[in-house]
Amino acid sequence: MPRPKVFVSRRIPEVGLNAISAECDVDLWPDRLPPPADELKKRAKDCDGLVSLLTDRIDGALLDSAPKLKVVSNYAVGFNNVDVPACTARGVCVGNTPGVLTDATADIAVTLLLTAARRIGESAADAKSGKWLTWEPLGWLGQDLTGRTLGIVGMGRIGFATAKRLHNGWDMKVLYTEQIPRPEAEREFDARRVELDELLRESDFVSVHVDLNSSTKGMFSSEQFAKMKRTAVFVNSARGPLVDQAALAETLRSGTIFAAGLDVTEPEPLPPDHELYKLPNCVIVPHIASATVETRNAMARLCANNLLAGVRGEPLPNWVNPEVADKRR
Ligand code: GLV
Ligand code: GLV
């Protein structure tokens, strides 16, 4: 049997690439930037497998031009870049990399929360630029964390790990929104499931951990920010389009909330002249939540395992669309 052909849309850690190359003929996109859509289409044309990143759009048109494609292995836990129903309809398996990036992502959520609450971006810039004149009793005053209320929007794996850190470390009370109760969160940190309105009104910190889909897109806009406390800190480490950024900018400018920390934006990259960068109470990092050596290696292993299972016709270890099983190519 000929070796399967796969396209890998960016250089991922060696541990993943090596596992893939051991069984497949690999066409690796060598650039730092993603392949343009037409290039992706061209490269995927004769492939049995595809390793995609969240910056690659995998849609029906691409799938139609790749009739042999058996598997799309997304190097991410989120898969909003992949049209999963279109894959399922064509018998194409989809894999993702959950679990291994939970701790790294929760660490970034907490980092952004602390950074925004304690005005680290602003005060570090002031120190460097000569605005640190003396020890000021009223300078750079932030918000305390201890004993305050944390609102977790989406108590999945990452929401849970974030709540765990902040409840155990800072004694925070935990509120959460979720379609179904999460008994483990209620048991471990006395978390209380509430409607989003109540969470926004009661929380001192709001951290977002939901998937991006048609029902969550734009779920944070002026109306939601207006319900939050003036001292509140908003953190998004999930997906940029969950937030109406113009509304967030106005909210931060007018002091409707205290500060925000963002690991994700829309678009990505957020252009350097964007208004959010000009606000001293907004800290933005370039989608780095899973960016640790160990985490990216673990993601590469999962990604390779999904890809290899897909080309071999085996069940994917992390299978987004297992319902495709009886009609896969
Ligand atoms: C990163 O955002 C991911 O979904 O893995
Ligand atoms: C601050 O540095 C203090 O000693 O209170």
Side-chain angles (χ1 to χ4, degrees):
M1 208 177 90
R3 282 158 62 92
K5 238 191 121 206
V6 304
F7 178 58
V8 178
S9 78
R10 225 72 41 80
R11 183 169 289 283
I12 63 169
E14 292 255 302
V15 57
L17 283 180
N18 291 345
I20 296 169
S21 325
E23 284 187 41
C24 306
D25 287 340
V26 175
D27 177 16
L28 173 66
W29 183 253
D31 292 359
R32 184 172 177 197
L33 296 179
D38 55 340
E39 190 63 36
L40 180 62
K41 217 167 170 180
K42 213 184 304 170
R43 303 276 182 139
K45 203 165 157 6
D46 312 311
C47 283
D48 304 282
L50 178 62
V51 169
S52 55
L53 267 58
L54 50 91
T55 38
D56 302 313
R57 176 93 199 116
I58 310 298
D59 56 15
L62 175 106
L63 297 167
D64 286 339
S65 66
K68 286 165 59 189
L69 195 65
K70 294 187 182 68
V71 57
V72 173
S73 178
N74 210 42
Y75 184 69
V77 62
F79 47 81
N80 56 288
N81 59 304
V82 180
D83 184 340
V84 178
C87 289
T88 306
R90 290 163 180 78
V92 178
C93 302
V94 179
N96 70 336
T97 64
V100 295
L101 46 67
T102 300
D103 286 322
T105 304
D107 288 347
I108 282 291
V110 172
T111 302
L112 287 171
L113 190 150
L114 275 161
T115 301
R118 297 304 303 272
R119 304 174 64 170
I120 297 301
E122 189 187 350
S123 58
D126 285 350
K128 200 168 170 176
S129 71
K131 290 184 189 143
W132 179 11
L133 302 179
T134 180
W135 189 93
E136 297 191 43
L138 300 178
W140 302 288
L141 301 185
Q143 303 294 332
D144 277 308
L145 277 72
T146 303
R148 306 288 286 276
T149 299
L150 170 69
I152 295 280
V153 180
M155 189 63 92
R157 286 176 295 257
I158 299 169
F160 186 89
T162 302
K164 184 173 178 180
R165 283 157 172 70
L166 292 165
H167 175 74
N168 293 335
W170 284 270
D171 228 0
M172 286 198 191
K173 297 183 199 64
V174 181
L175 303 177
Y176 72 103
T177 60
E178 193 49 82
Q179 277 147 17
I180 54 166
R182 297 282 184 227
E184 202 185 343
E186 303 194 359
R187 206 170 46 241
E188 282 208 24
F189 13 89
D190 244 343
R192 195 158 62 80
R193 188 165 76 107
V194 294
E195 294 299 322
L196 183 61
D197 272 12
E198 182 177 349
L199 181 142
L200 296 172
R201 275 198 315 272
E202 300 296 322
S203 297
D204 299 296
F205 301 93
V206 174
S207 191
V208 186
H209 304 281
V210 293
D211 295 338
L212 173 63
N213 55 49
S214 53
S215 65
T216 58
K217 193 167 191 283
M219 71 183 281
F220 290 95
S221 191
S222 310
E223 188 190 330
Q224 287 69 37
F225 294 128
K227 290 178 179 143
M228 292 172 63
K229 299 183 183 179
R230 288 184 81 82
T231 50
V233 171
F234 176 79
V235 172
N236 185 9
S237 56
R239 283 293 181 266
L242 297 166
V243 174
D244 173 348
Q245 284 178 177
L248 177 61
E250 183 46 36
T251 296
L252 292 168
R253 198 180 298 113
S254 62
T256 303
I257 69 172
F258 185 74
L262 309 175
D263 182 46
V264 288
T265 60
E266 170 65 13
E268 292 182 5
L270 192 67
D273 61 354
H274 195 277
E275 57 181 337
L276 281 173
Y277 289 118
K278 300 190 175 84
L279 298 168
N281 54 351
C282 187
V283 55
I284 301 171
V285 293
H287 204 149
I288 58 169
S290 67
T292 69
V293 175
E294 280 312 312
T295 295
R296 290 284 165 86
N297 282 342
M299 288 168 64
R301 279 186 214 103
L302 284 195
C303 179
N305 290 343
N306 285 332
L307 182 90
L308 294 173
V311 297
R312 290 180 197 139
E314 294 169 3
L316 274 57
N318 293 99
W319 204 344
V320 170
N321 60 345
E323 65 276 12
V324 79
D326 46 12
K327 57 172 171 179
R328 59 196 279 191
R329 284 175 176 164

